[in-house]
Amino acid sequence: MREYRLFNSILVITAFVLVGAVFSVAEADTEVNCLICHKHRGLSRIDEQGKFRLYYINNEMFESGPHRRNKCHDCHSDKDRFPHDPTVKVDCTQQCHIVEPSGQAKFSHKPIADTLSKSVHGKFDADGNPKKYQEDYPGCKDCHDQPLYRPVSVYKGETKDGVSKRSIGRCRSCHRTGYFAEDFYDHVTSRLRRGRFPMETINVCAKCHQNQEFLKRHELDDAVTTYKETFHGKLIALGSERTADCLDCHVVEGENTHLIESKLVPTSATNKANIGNTCRNSDCHVNASAELSSFQVHVTYERDKYPMQFYMLIFFKALMAIILYFFLALIFFELLRRLFPKFSFIKEKKTSDDTDFEPLSDDADK
Amino acid sequence: MVKLLKKLVFKLYVICLMLFTVWYGHFMYPLIFGFEGKEEAGESLKEIIRTGSEEETMFSRLIAEQTETSQTDLGYRVIDESYIEGRFHHIGFTLQHDNTNVCIRCHGSVPHDGSKETRSFLNQHAFYLACETCHSRPRAGAETWTFNWYDKVTGKITGNPRALVEIEEMFTHEHETEQYPTYGNYGVKIAPTQNDSGIRKLLHGEKEMALAERYIAEQELLEPDQKTAMKEVLHRKVSKDHPQCRECHNQEDRYLPFEKLGYPPTRLRELVNVPVVNMIQKYQKFHFPTLLESDEIEK
Amino acid sequence: MMLINSGDKTMSKYDPIVMKDGKRYFYRFSAHQRIQHVVLFSSVLVLAVTGFPLRHVEEAWARPLYDFMGGPEIAPMIHRIAGSVLLVLFVYHTIYWIVGFIRNDLGKLKQENRLTVGSGIKAFFTQEMVPNMKDFRDIIHLWKYLLYFTNRPPRHERMSWREKFDYFAPYWGIPILGPAGAILWWRDEVSHVLPGWILNAAYIMHTDEALLAILFLFFVHWYNVHYAPEKFPAAKVWLTGYLTEDEMIHEHYAHYVQVMIEAGLEDEIKPQHFGGEHYEW
């Protein structure tokens, strides 16, 4: 990678020569050539929809993910001239030049798209009829930005974030050609954990499942806000990677994460028949009974849906309000009383059976 | 005397405590009744979005949208960057907006939308050049300008940015760094400055900003012809004769003194040999038929 | 919160009035009780700083505070240890109370040969920590005084109603917080006995009761012992175990008069006052 960058920078320095010499045809199709313009951070405009469009490509970021061996042109196949023609949307399901190593076919994201279409997020129902509000159903880019590797290093029993140079060195002793060792290492170790930090996964779901307009259209509860009220959500917000995020409960253990199904579907992870095992899966509540799953995650505190929570909340809030505001008022008036200690509407006199009482005298304040 | 003072201090303390009590009551309220508050906030945003025609909705949404940032945690490093809706590629940095430039007050920070060929490139320059750097010219016979960097946040003139030197170091120590040099987001911008009784001041400084603010505040009360007149005054320093690409991007005589502005040798070589400018030249007859012409026509 | 008990009242280890530098100090808490208080407040503070970042994750201080307390791996452990300490203290104090009651109150009755079921129950309800009708009258009286309808502040016994409230707040809070916390801690094991939705109930109980406790502590209790003008910056009774004469007059005038009479100091009883400028600081 580094050599590649050095090469790149030399190219940039002498690019004007190259531009003339190498690409005498009016086509811009290599990494270097695109970056001549797209390396500039401010390359941008406001489009007709009022959206800010930034055309900057951060090459360092691009090279940190599994797409790094793709050329710009592999996805943006319509970009063959400058100024660019109006954009054709990138099709993620197209075949790319890489041969998928477990088989002989060219690599494509099409199987993922097929899985997605079978899930609750697919645009068509089981009978093949289009669902209502088609445009609300997600495509690849609604959940994914450019993927980045999250490699881990395991050495002498210690697991750390990042690449282990030692391990790569050992791979390289046999796999000498090209970037095979680096790519394989990054790819495999990133797969040993979630591709994204749990909070990022939650934010992805939140784009729709916390969007009030969307929820109203589809008659759904706010799954994300309610989830964030649970200890799972809170620990993740505080940086934990060890508690359950959306996918842990909504995808069957071992299943493709794109296959999220409605709890009404018998094979769904959250179906009544399976949810016990979802909680008790091998990484989570192993010692629990299936009864644990009657814990309610998405509690909205609505009176009809969650009466126990509703009344408990009312009780505690009332208790808190009464006690705290009573004492607050008491303290406030006590302080006020201290400002004018001698004043009183009714002055009580000393009585005969009250030998030790002396009304507050003026001296008392001195 | 001391007694009186003590009494005063005491009363003051009691009053402060009373205020603290009131504050605490106010502070507690959302903690006790927190859950409902959140829903109300969501409700008001819905209200904004639900109004009127497509244009109105778009407008309301743009107003309601705030500059968001996103965080990507790779474990060995965390990437903080601006979130731009619908964008696939990571940008890897946080956009810094210039809130101090007077032109941006009305024209915004991404102002060029004219020709398809140039708009993005010109907006790119707006990242590190103040508008007046190109859209104003020193008057004949007037004192020549010097160019300095100013801070995007404070609006104060600063020294040359350290970021430029760091980019140079990345080039020279390519093997020791994981960073890839990218340009533009230095937190500072180049602007012409003038000598104002011994102090170096921006050509478009606080005075101009005050005028613009006054115009914005009072424009509703102005007669249409007054408006035109005031706009004329506001734009007096704007010159139609703005520098062409090659006035700066050339080997010999440059409008902007890159060396003085702190550009290190490697970057300087790139700037004066700018591949884009050269590419434009090479490709003119193929796919860039009008790019340079558009400049020439204005001349 | 005060851990006050009738137990040590009759012990002779502490003199009811001590003279030091020409000032009178009145006995209030034994060393035993003071130590229990220190354990109580340290564990509660630790519980608060390891628990509240979770309750209010959206606040800016939550993440740094939680990281300071060890982050998602260590902080829960600290929280559980502190919670266990608090529960143990609760049980210990309850035993301490019962033992004190049997030894002192019932013991005294037995000595006097008056111990019956009726007198035993009566003794239980006349312990100084147990709320009674006088407390109710005192509350009304205090409001009358605060609203300037009388110039005569209420006279409290050894335990005022406010202190009783302070005392019973953890006595109500810990039985709610403790078991709820334990259920959340041993959720997997509990699920074999109780349904999962019990965790929902435990969650609300634990978080809301904790908020009540902390809001109460940080304002009401801290007002009583820190912020109040005569206490500022802090009352010393939790360290020394003794009240000053001014504090005694202000907070426990009835008790003050009684102690003074018992000590044969009727002539030196000072008139009542209500805090205020009487304290020079």
Side-chain angles (χ1 to χ4, degrees):
Chain A
M1 288 174 280
R2 242 174 254 136
E3 290 84 333
Y4 187 71
R5 263 179 228 144
L6 178 67
F7 176 63
N8 206 340
S9 63
I10 293 166
L11 279 179
V12 169
I13 297 163
T14 56
F16 76 105
V17 182
L18 281 165
V19 167
V22 182
F23 313 108
S24 49
V25 201
E27 264 184 4
D29 77 347
T30 76
E31 204 79 27
V32 179
N33 207 355
C34 298
L35 281 179
I36 284 175
C37 298
H38 288 278
K39 74 179 177 194
H40 291 282
R41 293 193 191 192
L43 202 69
S44 59
R45 74 177 182 108
I46 305 286
D47 73 7
E48 292 72 19
Q49 262 61 52
K51 255 189 198 166
F52 175 62
R53 307 288 303 268
L54 188 69
Y55 301 117
Y56 164 67
I57 291 297
N58 186 324
N59 200 39
E60 187 201 353
M61 299 273 94
F62 184 74
E63 290 199 354
S64 310
H67 289 157
R68 62 184 170 203
R69 300 294 160 234
N70 290 320
K71 296 212 166 76
C72 306
H73 201 238
D74 291 348
C75 301
H76 302 278
S77 44
D78 59 319
K79 298 281 182 295
D80 59 349
R81 60 192 59 210
F82 182 87
H84 305 314
D85 291 331
T87 312
V88 177
K89 272 197 175 169
V90 171
D91 178 12
C92 302
T93 62
Q94 68 186 334
Q95 282 190 342
C96 76
H97 67 288
I98 296 169
V99 175
E100 195 273 306
S102 70
Q104 287 308 308
K106 281 196 170 178
F107 188 81
S108 163
H109 289 304
K110 189 149 192 319
I112 301 286
D114 293 342
T115 309
L116 186 75
S117 67
K118 273 184 258 166
S119 77
V120 73
H121 292 126
K123 286 186 189 338
F124 298 91
D125 63 17
D127 307 324
N129 302 317
K131 291 179 189 170
K132 239 175 145 186
Y133 307 113
Q134 279 264 304
E135 67 284 358
D136 282 346
Y137 288 88
C140 308
K141 248 177 71 178
D142 291 314
C143 302
H144 295 275
D145 49 16
Q146 187 226 322
L148 297 170
Y149 283 131
R150 301 178 73 215
V152 277
S153 135
V154 186
Y155 192 72
K156 299 222 177 205
E158 201 194 340
T159 310
K160 280 190 294 190
D161 296 313
V163 176
S164 162
K165 281 186 181 160
R166 283 194 181 86
S167 306
I168 291 256
R170 294 179 60 160
C171 304
R172 273 203 161 283
S173 55
C174 297
H175 309 286
R176 289 155 189 265
T177 327
Y179 309 105
F180 180 83
E182 283 90 345
D183 283 0
F184 210 83
Y185 181 90
D186 282 349
H187 207 105
V188 171
T189 62
S190 294
R191 275 287 162 261
L192 293 179
R193 58 176 170 187
R194 268 291 161 65
R196 279 188 271 199
F197 188 76
M199 201 63 215
E200 290 156 31
T201 307
I202 294 161
N203 287 340
V204 163
C205 301
K207 277 188 201 171
C208 298
H209 289 280
Q210 205 173 19
N211 176 337
Q212 301 303 321
E213 269 183 288
F214 171 91
L215 296 174
K216 207 167 192 179
R217 270 202 299 280
H218 295 265
E219 291 168 13
L220 292 169
D221 281 344
D222 186 337
V224 176
T225 304
T226 51
Y227 164 79
K228 282 182 177 170
E229 289 283 314
T230 65
F231 276 124
H232 286 153
K234 288 178 175 210
L235 276 168
I236 283 174
L238 288 174
S240 172
E241 241 184 301
R242 289 186 50 188
T243 49
D245 59 38
C246 313
L247 296 176
D248 288 306
C249 303
H250 287 278
V251 178
V252 176
E253 193 183 2
E255 186 51 81
N256 184 333
T257 49
H258 295 88
L259 193 69
I260 294 170
E261 290 171 308
S262 156
K263 65 179 172 191
L264 304 173
V265 176
T267 51
S268 156
T270 49
N271 184 282
K272 269 221 167 83
N274 311 326
I275 189 157
N277 290 333
T278 303
C279 297
R280 290 194 296 164
N281 81 69
S282 57
D283 295 311
C284 301
H285 301 278
V286 187
N287 299 322
S289 86
E291 260 301 304
L292 184 72
S293 59
S294 69
F295 172 69
Q296 292 161 318
V297 180
H298 301 292
V299 179
T300 56
Y301 296 94
E302 282 167 86
R303 193 204 303 246
D304 304 331
K305 279 190 193 166
Y306 299 96
M308 178 191 78
Q309 280 94 335
F310 176 80
Y311 287 110
M312 278 186 81
L313 205 69
I314 295 286
F315 170 74
F316 275 107
K317 284 189 187 311
L319 185 75
M320 254 191 274
I322 291 167
I323 292 178
L324 290 168
Y325 283 107
F326 171 78
F327 275 98
L328 227 61
L330 186 89
I331 288 168
F332 184 83
F333 282 108
E334 193 181 302
L335 288 163
L336 190 68
R337 190 68 174 91
R338 285 173 201 235
L339 280 183
F340 312 102
K342 281 170 244 165
F343 177 78
S344 177
F345 296 120
I346 304 160
K347 290 217 193 276
E348 286 179 43
K349 293 278 179 304
K350 190 174 170 178
T351 55
S352 54
D353 60 334
D354 206 12
T355 47
D356 54 337
F357 173 66
E358 274 177 50
L360 292 172
S361 65
D362 290 357
D363 304 335
D365 293 327
K366 279 168 196 164
Chain B
M1 187 61 203
V2 175
K3 219 170 209 174
L4 196 75
L5 198 73
K6 272 189 174 172
K7 208 166 174 165
L8 200 74
V9 171
F10 175 84
K11 301 253 175 193
L12 215 67
Y13 179 77
V14 170
I15 290 168
C16 287
L17 258 182
M18 286 168 78
L19 290 176
F20 178 56
T21 313
V22 173
W23 174 83
Y24 198 78
H26 177 73
F27 159 80
M28 275 188 335
Y29 189 82
L31 284 176
I32 299 175
F33 302 102
F35 207 77
E36 287 83 341
K38 274 182 219 160
E39 279 177 355
E40 274 165 32
E43 206 58 46
S44 64
L45 189 72
K46 268 191 276 176
E47 212 59 59
I48 295 172
I49 289 168
R50 223 182 284 129
T51 48
S53 69
E54 195 199 329
E55 281 79 11
E56 281 170 342
T57 316
M58 205 154 93
F59 230 75
S60 314
R61 204 189 290 272
L62 285 171
I63 290 166
E65 265 175 37
Q66 279 166 357
T67 322
E68 282 181 73
T69 53
S70 76
Q71 223 183 40
T72 313
D73 189 341
L74 301 183
Y76 60 97
R77 77 181 268 215
V78 178
I79 299 152
D80 279 305
E81 57 191 354
S82 304
Y83 171 74
I84 300 168
E85 205 195 324
R87 197 183 149 87
F88 181 73
H89 293 278
H90 288 278
I91 58 174
F93 71 97
T94 315
L95 293 163
Q96 254 172 332
H97 292 289
D98 179 3
N99 296 322
T100 60
N101 187 290
V102 66
C103 312
I104 286 177
R105 189 74 178 78
C106 293
H107 295 279
S109 55
V110 196
H112 304 97
D113 58 358
S115 94
K116 187 176 176 179
E117 290 80 1
T118 55
R119 59 191 178 198
S120 299
F121 292 109
L122 295 175
N123 285 331
Q124 167 210 321
H125 283 77
F127 245 61
Y128 41 79
L129 297 182
C131 309
E132 62 266 28
T133 310
C134 302
H135 292 282
S136 294
R137 285 270 192 163
R139 222 151 279 163
E143 184 208 348
T144 49
W145 292 349
T146 13
F147 292 94
N148 291 83
W149 296 90
Y150 74 93
D151 193 292
K152 280 188 186 181
V153 178
T154 64
K156 297 259 160 29
I157 294 172
T158 66
N160 296 336
R162 168 96 193 116
L164 279 173
V165 186
E166 280 164 8
I167 288 176
E168 179 73 4
E169 281 165 7
M170 273 177 226
F171 274 120
T172 43
H173 306 286
E174 179 72 27
H175 280 281
E176 278 99 78
T177 169
E178 285 285 323
Q179 301 276 309
Y180 186 88
T182 41
Y183 314 117
N185 207 44
Y186 312 131
V188 286
K189 274 179 158 185
I190 298 170
T193 60
Q194 274 177 321
N195 197 344
D196 185 352
S197 50
I199 308 161
R200 198 130 283 290
K201 280 197 172 158
L202 291 174
L203 188 69
H204 282 183
E206 285 157 20
K207 253 192 260 170
E208 286 74 15
M209 193 59 149
L211 284 180
E213 292 293 356
R214 217 176 125 190
Y215 171 75
I216 292 165
E218 290 179 19
Q219 60 177 337
E220 277 181 19
L221 306 170
L222 297 174
E223 298 293 330
D225 56 334
Q226 273 181 304
K227 270 192 200 177
T228 318
M230 282 183 85
K231 275 196 203 163
E232 200 58 47
V233 175
L234 281 173
H235 290 105
R236 235 160 67 181
K237 287 185 190 169
V238 177
S239 156
K240 292 265 183 286
D241 163 37
H242 42 78
Q244 304 306 306
C245 304
R246 268 168 298 157
E247 261 180 80
C248 292
H249 298 292
N250 72 61
Q251 305 264 22
E252 295 95 23
D253 181 31
R254 291 182 288 268
Y255 183 63
L256 284 178
F258 292 140
E259 295 93 334
K260 271 192 194 159
L261 287 165
Y263 283 97
T266 320
R267 182 79 185 114
L268 185 68
R269 268 200 301 278
E270 287 185 87
L271 284 171
V272 298
N273 298 324
V274 164
V276 176
V277 179
N278 289 285
M279 185 169 75
I280 288 164
Q281 245 179 329
K282 293 274 175 199
Y283 286 133
Q284 253 187 90
K285 45 188 177 298
F286 298 97
H287 287 289
F288 298 82
T290 55
L291 181 60
L292 285 187
E293 275 170 32
S294 68
D295 287 356
E296 251 107 56
I297 287 163
E298 278 177 24
K299 260 186 191 170
Chain C
M1 268 161 257
M2 318 224 171
L3 285 161
I4 306 148
N5 191 278
S6 57
D8 296 277
K9 186 174 65 175
T10 51
M11 287 185 193
S12 55
K13 216 162 110 191
Y14 297 93
D15 298 325
I17 302 177
V18 171
M19 289 291 285
K20 205 181 169 193
D21 302 335
K23 284 179 183 163
R24 279 196 198 95
Y25 291 91
F26 295 78
Y27 166 68
R28 189 153 181 81
F29 300 133
S30 70
H32 193 166
Q33 292 165 336
R34 277 176 271 150
I35 291 167
Q36 290 186 50
H37 174 245
V38 171
V39 175
L40 173 67
F41 79 68
S42 354
S43 59
V44 167
L45 285 178
V46 170
L47 285 165
V49 292
T50 49
F52 273 78
L54 260 179
R55 196 185 189 283
H56 295 280
V57 277
E58 69 283 2
E59 303 290 336
W61 49 263
R63 185 81 190 259
L65 180 59
Y66 209 61
D67 285 346
F68 180 74
M69 293 311 296
E73 302 295 315
I74 309 291
M77 261 192 265
I78 297 175
H79 192 82
R80 285 160 191 174
I81 291 168
S84 308
V85 169
L86 189 57
L87 269 178
V88 168
L89 179 73
F90 177 79
V91 173
Y92 176 80
H93 184 77
T94 308
I95 294 167
Y96 169 75
W97 184 6
I98 293 166
V99 169
F101 172 68
I102 292 171
R103 197 194 286 161
N104 300 323
D105 297 61
L106 299 185
K108 203 172 147 203
L109 285 174
K110 205 173 179 185
Q111 261 180 11
E112 295 166 9
N113 230 347
R114 293 194 290 119
L115 184 63
T116 58
V117 176
S119 71
I121 292 170
K122 198 180 165 213
F124 184 82
F125 282 105
T126 49
Q127 285 182 94
E128 59 183 12
M129 276 325 295
V130 178
N132 53 35
M133 278 314 285
K134 183 176 181 325
D135 296 324
F136 186 69
R137 284 197 300 273
D138 280 349
I139 295 174
I140 310 258
H141 188 162
L142 181 64
W143 273 107
K144 229 166 103 185
Y145 176 73
L146 294 184
L147 298 173
Y148 294 94
F149 283 108
T150 172
N151 55 340
R152 181 178 167 172
R155 298 167 170 197
H156 299 301
E157 296 291 343
R158 188 160 185 274
M159 296 298 157
S160 68
W161 66 269
R162 254 162 124 154
E163 286 155 343
K164 288 179 188 178
F165 195 93
D166 263 12
Y167 178 74
F168 280 103
Y171 244 89
W172 141 271
I174 295 173
I176 291 181
L177 280 164
I183 287 173
L184 293 166
W185 180 359
W186 285 296
R187 54 206 172 277
D188 290 4
E189 288 75 10
V190 165
S191 70
H192 291 281
V193 190
L194 294 165
W197 57 259
I198 205 79
L199 293 174
N200 288 97
Y203 175 77
I204 298 175
M205 278 160 70
H206 199 80
T207 54
D208 277 7
E209 180 59 34
L211 180 67
L212 172 59
I214 292 300
L215 287 176
F216 187 85
L217 268 181
F218 283 10
F219 194 79
V220 183
H221 182 62
W222 281 13
Y223 170 81
N224 291 341
V225 299
H226 288 293
Y227 311 143
E230 70 273 13
K231 304 283 187 189
F232 190 81
K236 291 174 193 72
V237 67
W238 69 278
L239 281 171
T240 62
Y242 280 85
L243 286 174
T244 64
E245 192 162 3
D246 276 339
E247 284 175 318
M248 198 67 177
I249 292 168
H250 176 194
E251 292 159 17
H252 309 282
Y253 195 68
H255 180 56
Y256 167 73
V257 170
Q258 189 198 336
V259 172
M260 290 295 272
I261 292 170
E262 277 171 14
L265 296 165
E266 290 100 325
D267 302 340
E268 290 177 49
I269 293 175
K270 291 182 182 169
Q272 190 179 10
H273 63 73
F274 190 74
E277 291 158 72
H278 197 81
Y279 297 93
E280 291 194 342
W281 52 277

